[in-house]
């Protein structure tokens, strides 16, 4: 089953700028892929469309098997719960501790407290931050904050992970570590799409890579064994 | 692997745990929003105070009108009486004869004669104008008949009054009802005014709460955006602000009740004194329970409504395009 399917998708902004042109793309369940391109090539726009933060101007879109081209606004939250999102600037809540930040998707989905505790600790354990659950984001390093963001994205066991420049502010060693986490989640079957311009890192991992230029998807580079 | 919610529909096929989880959310949000209000006590108190004043004004007016209406109702029977003044040249015998004639009427329950000398005596005692009255050469007061009509409708009473005025020996007829009707018209106006004030100041409360909530939304903009990204529904986004509106409305309403009762307490001593001067046992009571409940209930409703509209505006403005 395809987790993401785009058919002839365009995104035009009201002021006339065409951010995406005729995008055709399929991401299978459990697949991991990179999305590259220069700034302004449309990487973020593409992720925003898949995350239903913006709507396509034209074309058909399927996410986790559902046609979301014209999805009603009320349905969007329920679809987003099946997609974990990771941002370059983490987007953590600064007035809540690490535990609460990671727990938020579960609280939103209406889990009971005990179940929330169990899952949050499991997620924090996976990213190696179990001992920091009571810390506040401001006291964390960039790498730690990003791992909290990842824990929050995976805590609800999504079908798809979307990451927008997740290593943008990190040094190569930390970046490698973060990518290792993504590979780990991918191994348990979470489809993963990572936008990055870190070509070195992509080269090391040898996964499917999609390149955008001026809103168009260029030819793909086939999967190479790592 | 269990999912919290299916991708479509809100409540179909939910596990029972979902409801419990929802209750957890409500409890947490109620507490959290209260904590936020307490964390900024001055601004919270100011907002609640503005709401309280806006609600207290019409509540106080309504209370005064209702109290006065109660007093006026007590006067009703007294006020339906007709005073019949005889000519000064009429003697006591003709007065008795007139009493007999009026008593015989079917539309009259009772007639009481106040002879002119008794009237003067009573007036002398009550008015304290003894020396002035003593200087008069003759009694200026006529024989007076106080007539209690059977009917209580203003029309019937005034018809009876006209009939009595045409009787031989009657100089003038006074209907006590007229001033009571004026009072009642005044009270009805007051009641309408209170209603109007409720409406006008209610809109004011709506705007105050809306503005406060708008500021709260602005300061939590990023938090709202993040929670939306990780799957928060509109209801989830709304919830903390609805609780905030609810608390403001509740505290504003309760404070309004305290304000009105304080005002009534301060007015009680002078009003009692005033009543005593009029030989009345009338006294100001506390704000009646129904008005108090309406004030608090209205505060809560307006708080919720103001919050609902503001969050709705924000949600529409930030919807994906």
């Amino acid at each position: 089953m395809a987790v993401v399917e785009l058919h002839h998708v365009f995104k035009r902004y009201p002021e006339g700028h065409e951010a995406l042109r005729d995008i055709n793309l399929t991401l299978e369940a459990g697949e991991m892929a990179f999305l590259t391109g220069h700034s302004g090539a449309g990487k973020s726009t593409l992720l925003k469309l898949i995350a239903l933060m913006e709507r396509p101007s034209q074309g058909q879109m399927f996410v986790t098997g559902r046609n979301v081209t014209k999805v009603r606004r009320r349905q969007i939250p329920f679809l987003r719960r099946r997609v974990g999102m990771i941002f370059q600037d983490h987007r953590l809540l600064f007035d809540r501790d690490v535990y609460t930040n990671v727990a938020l998707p579960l609280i939103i989905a209406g889990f009971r407290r005990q179940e929330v505790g169990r899952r949050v600790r499991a997620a924090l354990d996976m990213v190696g931050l179990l001992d920091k659950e009571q810390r506040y984001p401001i006291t964390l390093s960039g790498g730690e904050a990003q791992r909290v963001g990842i824990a929050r994205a995976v805590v609800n066991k999504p079908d798809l992970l979307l990451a927008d420049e997740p290593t943008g502010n990190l040094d190569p060693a930390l970046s490698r570590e973060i990518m290792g986490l993504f590979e780990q989640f991918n191994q348990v079957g979470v489809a993963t799409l990572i936008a990055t311009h870190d070509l070195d890192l992509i080269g090391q991992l040898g996964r499917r890579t999609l390149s955008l230029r001026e809103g168009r998807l260029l030819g793909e580079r086939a999967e190479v064994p790592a | 692997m269990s999912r919290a919610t299916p991708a479509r529909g809100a409540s179909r096929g939910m596990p029972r745990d979902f409801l419990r989880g929802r209750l957890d959310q409500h409890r947490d949000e109620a507490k959290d929003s209260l904590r936020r209000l307490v964390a900024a006590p001055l601004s919270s108190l100011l907002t609640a105070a503005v709401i309280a004043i806006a609600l207290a004004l019409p509540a106080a007016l309504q209370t005064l009108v209702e109290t006065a209406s109660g007093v006026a109702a007590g006067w009703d029977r007294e006020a339906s009486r007709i005073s019949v003044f005889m000519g000064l040249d009429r003697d006591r015998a003709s007065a008795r004869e007139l009493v007999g004639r009026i008593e015989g009427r079917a539309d009259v329950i009772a007639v009481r004669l106040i002879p002119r000398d008794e009237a003067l005596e009573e007036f002398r005692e009550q008015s304290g104008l003894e020396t002035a009255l003593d200087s008069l050469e003759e009694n200026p007061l006529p024989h007076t008949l106080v007539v209690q009509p059977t009917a209580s409708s203003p029309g019937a009473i005034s018809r009876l009054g006209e009939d009595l005025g045409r009787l031989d020996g009657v100089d003038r007829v006074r209907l006590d009802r007229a001033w009571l009707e004026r009072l009642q018209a005044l009270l009805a106006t007051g009641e309408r005014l209170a209603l109007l004030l409720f409406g006008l100041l209610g809109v004011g409360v709506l705007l105050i709460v809306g503005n406060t909530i708008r500021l709260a939304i602005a300061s939590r903009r990023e938090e709202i955006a993040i929670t939306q990204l990780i799957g928060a529904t509109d209801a989830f986004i709304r919830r903390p602000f609805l609780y905030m509106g609810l608390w403001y409305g509740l505290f504003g309403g309760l404070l309004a009740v305290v304000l009105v009762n304080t005002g009534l307490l301060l007015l009680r001593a002078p009003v009692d004194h005033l009543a005593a001067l009029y030989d009345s046992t009338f006294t100001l009571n506390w704000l009646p329970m129904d008005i108090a409940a309406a004030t608090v209930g209205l505060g809560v409703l307006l708080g919720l409504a103001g919050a609902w509209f503001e969050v709705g505006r924000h949600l529409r403005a930030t919807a994906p395009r």
Side-chain angles (χ1 to χ4, degrees):
Chain A
M1 184 195 85
V3 174
V4 179
E5 256 187 276
L6 274 69
H7 301 292
H8 304 291
V9 165
F10 287 75
K11 177 65 183 178
R12 263 174 241 103
Y13 287 104
E15 61 269 29
H17 172 62
E18 198 158 49
L20 292 176
R21 294 168 211 201
D22 198 20
I23 304 288
N24 292 288
L25 164 67
T26 304
L27 192 70
E28 296 295 333
E31 197 181 354
M32 183 170 180
F34 287 101
L35 185 63
T36 72
H38 294 292
S39 308
K43 299 193 296 291
S44 293
T45 306
L46 185 54
L47 288 186
K48 279 179 182 166
L49 287 187
I50 298 172
L52 307 172
M53 289 161 74
E54 289 183 6
R55 290 174 181 278
S57 313
Q58 202 180 313
Q60 294 280 314
M61 276 181 55
F62 296 82
V63 176
T64 65
R66 258 182 64 103
N67 188 339
V68 297
T69 316
K70 287 199 170 81
V71 68
R72 301 216 322 275
R73 200 166 77 81
R74 298 170 53 100
Q75 297 295 332
I76 291 176
F78 300 99
L79 288 161
R80 282 198 185 142
R81 290 177 194 179
R82 309 179 70 169
V83 179
M85 260 177 286
I86 292 137
F87 308 90
Q88 181 173 3
D89 54 357
H90 327 310
R91 301 199 77 172
L92 302 176
L93 298 181
F94 283 92
D95 59 342
R96 316 286 168 92
D97 60 15
V98 165
Y99 178 92
T100 312
N101 266 285
V102 176
L104 205 56
L106 301 175
I107 294 171
I108 286 170
F111 280 84
R112 289 235 74 193
R113 222 166 275 193
Q114 300 91 313
E115 179 70 3
V116 169
R118 210 176 56 72
R119 290 203 187 196
V120 168
R121 299 220 162 80
L124 282 175
D125 192 26
M126 282 191 273
V127 299
L129 287 176
L130 204 47
D131 56 330
K132 304 217 159 125
E133 64 171 53
Q134 284 172 14
R135 298 269 293 272
Y136 279 79
I138 201 86
T139 68
L140 300 176
S141 70
E144 285 170 337
Q146 194 52 285
R147 283 188 281 158
V148 174
I150 293 170
R152 184 182 66 185
V154 300
V155 76
N156 202 7
K157 298 176 181 165
D159 300 323
L160 170 67
L161 271 183
L162 296 175
D164 193 2
E165 302 281 1
T167 60
N169 295 327
L170 303 179
D171 62 45
L174 277 174
S175 300
R176 185 72 196 78
E177 203 182 301
I178 296 290
M179 286 302 170
L181 278 175
F182 284 127
E183 288 191 296
Q184 200 183 313
F185 291 119
N186 180 241
Q187 270 158 22
V188 297
V190 185
T192 309
L193 184 60
I194 302 167
T196 181
H197 54 245
D198 192 340
L199 296 173
D200 287 346
L201 208 57
I202 296 173
Q204 287 170 36
L205 291 169
R207 298 284 186 147
R208 183 182 169 197
T209 304
L210 308 155
S211 296
L212 277 169
R213 186 193 288 164
E214 289 168 8
R216 283 181 200 282
L217 209 51
L218 302 180
E220 292 186 17
R221 204 176 60 182
E223 199 165 322
V224 216
Chain B
M1 180 155 134
S2 71
R3 280 203 187 284
T5 50
R8 73 175 71 203
S11 59
R12 219 177 319 141
M14 291 287 173
R16 269 187 65 174
D17 256 11
F18 177 80
L19 278 179
R20 297 235 186 84
R22 192 45 78 77
L23 277 179
D24 281 351
Q25 286 182 355
H26 274 276
R27 196 176 44 230
D28 291 348
E29 289 299 351
K31 274 197 242 164
D32 187 62
S33 56
L34 198 58
R35 235 192 332 266
R36 280 171 195 274
L37 294 194
V38 174
L42 190 69
S43 72
S44 304
L45 200 67
L46 279 176
T47 305
V50 175
I51 295 169
I53 291 166
L55 291 173
L57 280 173
L61 188 57
Q62 180 67 25
T63 307
L64 291 180
V65 168
E66 277 194 15
T67 310
S69 298
V71 174
W75 287 337
D76 212 38
R77 182 150 194 85
E78 208 173 321
S80 65
R81 286 181 200 157
I82 301 171
S83 302
V84 177
F85 302 101
M86 299 187 69
L88 278 173
D89 54 333
R90 297 297 165 140
D91 62 9
R92 194 137 179 175
S94 64
R96 287 219 188 79
E97 192 248 338
L98 187 61
V99 169
R101 250 193 295 162
I102 296 175
E103 264 176 346
R105 294 178 63 105
D107 52 0
V108 169
I109 297 173
V111 182
R112 188 164 61 92
L113 171 66
I114 303 171
R116 50 190 304 199
D117 42 344
E118 276 178 34
L120 183 67
E121 204 50 46
E122 202 178 318
F123 186 56
R124 189 196 299 279
E125 277 169 24
Q126 285 188 359
S127 67
L129 298 171
E130 288 170 36
T131 36
L133 291 172
D134 284 344
S135 67
L136 292 173
E137 279 170 19
E138 61 180 68
N139 185 353
L141 299 175
H143 294 301
T144 305
L145 277 62
V146 179
V147 178
Q148 182 70 57
T150 322
S152 61
S153 76
I157 292 170
S158 68
R159 265 196 305 283
L160 176 61
E162 280 167 29
D163 281 1
L164 297 177
R166 279 194 291 273
L167 292 175
D168 181 45
V170 172
D171 178 41
R172 211 154 51 82
V173 169
R174 198 186 70 203
L175 299 180
D176 290 350
R177 181 115 214 142
W179 69 267
L180 188 71
E181 274 160 22
R182 275 182 223 125
L183 177 65
Q184 274 162 351
L186 196 69
L187 290 176
T189 310
E191 205 152 336
R192 182 62 58 86
L193 193 66
L195 208 65
L196 221 68
L197 270 182
F198 255 129
L200 204 64
L201 292 170
V203 174
V205 170
L206 211 60
L207 296 177
I208 296 158
V209 174
N211 195 50
T212 308
I213 299 289
R214 185 161 48 235
L215 292 177
I217 290 172
S219 76
R220 293 173 75 178
R221 229 190 157 76
E222 175 69 2
E223 181 185 340
I224 293 171
I226 292 171
T227 48
Q228 279 178 324
L229 283 179
I230 56 186
T233 56
D234 287 358
F236 186 89
I237 304 290
R238 253 192 196 111
R239 202 165 295 137
F241 299 104
L242 286 181
Y243 271 108
M244 195 174 231
L246 181 138
W247 294 129
Y248 276 130
L250 183 67
F251 293 136
L254 290 175
L255 199 57
V257 171
V258 171
L259 279 180
V260 174
N261 275 330
T262 309
L264 290 172
L265 190 66
L266 291 175
L267 281 174
R268 185 168 297 163
V271 167
D272 281 355
H273 183 61
L274 191 69
L277 290 178
Y278 279 95
D279 274 338
S280 165
T281 54
F282 168 74
T283 183
L284 272 183
N285 285 314
W286 299 112
L287 182 65
M289 272 313 284
D290 56 340
I291 299 185
T295 304
V296 176
L298 206 70
V300 168
L301 265 178
L302 290 171
L304 287 174
W308 182 276
F309 287 131
E310 274 311 321
V311 182
R313 261 168 45 138
H314 180 79
L315 289 173
R316 279 191 299 280
T318 55
R321 277 157 224 281

